[in-house]
Amino acid sequence: MVHRLMQLVTGGHTAVAVNGQTSHISPVSSHLISNGISHLQYADDTIIMVELNDNSITNLKFLLLCFEALSGLKINFSKSEVIVTGTRRRRPVVVRAKIREIFMPALSSTMTEGKIVSWAAAEGDRVTKGDAVVVVESDKADMDVETFYDGIVAAVLVPAGETAPVGAPIALLAESEEDVALAVAQAKALSSGQPQQQAPAPSDAAAPPPPPAAPVAAAPAPVAAGTKGVATPQAKKLAKQHRVDLAKVTGTGQFGRITPADVEAAAGIQPKPKVAPTPAAAPVAAASSVKAVPQAAVLPPVPGATVVPFTAMQAAVSKNMVESLSVPAFRVGYPILTDKLDALYEKVKPKGVTMTVLLAKAAAMALAQHPVVNASCRDGTSFTYNSSINIAVAVSIDGGLITPVLEQADKLDIYLLSQKWKELVKKARAKQLQPNEYNSGTFTLSNLGMFGVDRFDAILPPGQGAIMAVGASKPTVAADKDGFFSVKSKMMVNVTADHRIVYGADLAAFLQTFAKIIEDPESLTL
């Protein structure tokens, strides 16, 4: 028996004849048709004829399921008929853009704006897909940004040294030389609208009454056409909460970006009036909540002082440190004898192994026995047990602090860890770390022992359960179990932990295990 499937166009619909029974269906590409087909005729989406060699109806069902998967139509099977509902889909019309925008990318999950370090491609340069056109400073590193299209850099909208929010256009790319003039005109139109977009900020600060600011805020609307729909992360969150269609919202931010205020206005939410702080109210606000600290910090400058704004990295560090104040943390200290560790270090030091790597390896081995210390609390209501032990190590670099991550530290030997650590430090100094190389840590180690610091407390990073602060190893008079005194090297280790998931007994047990590994470090070389 031969089953025939024929597709015929009838008006705006497509009819399918299966053994003489007619129903409606959309066309399907031939590459979805699988085994069991001996003949296929496909011409201009008008006629398809398929002859199946198998007597089983199973192959015919498979063929129709292929139609259903591609077209989105609903196909119902029964013993006597096949019912298909839907209309024929037209071929999409492809429109090629001649002028494309290069946007400020989000290089990390916490990045809200980026600073242009330098442009690798100047105006008038021809670039191809995959070429690095600009170097952007994020809140963690400097990264090359590649172009996704071929073309000519027609106009640079954000020069080197200036910042732009994530998602904002930073340059225009023309497809050909004939389109360069049009792109330059578009760039001038965008730049001419920037003073109007920035105008509401001083007017709001200078004049508390809202009526004068309303017409000024409405002025940038025509300029926002080029980047319609680009919204800040907070604006997207508010739009989802209040069920606001961002496609219908006109942005008033820089380059037409949709701000949280735009979403609140579209949802009919009245903005909160801004009250100018008074000298009497400032102390009350500072004492009421932690969020008032930034307001209290805005003080008159000291005569003769120089004000230097934060870099993107310093701003990120400041933000993380303030966020850590909301975590109920506690601290536990533990003294550890290091004579055997120091002896091991002298043996492996010529092979490139550092003390930091030995400490990271010991911490990873201890965490494997105490997974709760490697866990985290991200939502305030549950534990997150991490399947990997990734040790983040604090490194001081020019202009900030970063924590490169030694991933799977419990599974690598000290020599592979040392090699990897050298590569991470080199990339960190050059600000070339990739996001997964600094934001995947599950436990943090901060070592100031090389500076002679005997003890210190570290601030818990957001999203982690604990951080270890290691001091210097110094000669100390110690008594053994028989009461005899001797001079031994000892270091102090302080651990700061999230008390929502790590309790005192958990942290004490972890430190005991860590101390045993340090005091008998032969297992570190296995």
Side-chain angles (χ1 to χ4, degrees), residues 101 157-158 162-165 167-170 190-191 193-194 197 220 223-228 230 251-258:
E101 294 174 329
L157 302 179
V158 183
E162 295 189 7
T163 61
I170 58 178
L190 289 173
S191 61
Q194 290 180 10
Q197 294 170 347
V223 184
T227 56
K228 183 177 181 181
V230 178
T252 60
Q254 190 178 17
F255 303 108
R257 190 176 177 86
I258 298 175

Side-chain angles (χ1 to χ4, degrees), residues 231-250:
T232 64
Q234 181 64 19
K236 292 179 181 179
K237 181 178 180 181
L238 289 175
K240 184 177 181 181
Q241 292 176 352
H242 300 292
R243 298 181 180 179
V244 175
D245 187 0
L246 290 176
K248 299 180 181 179
V249 179
T250 301

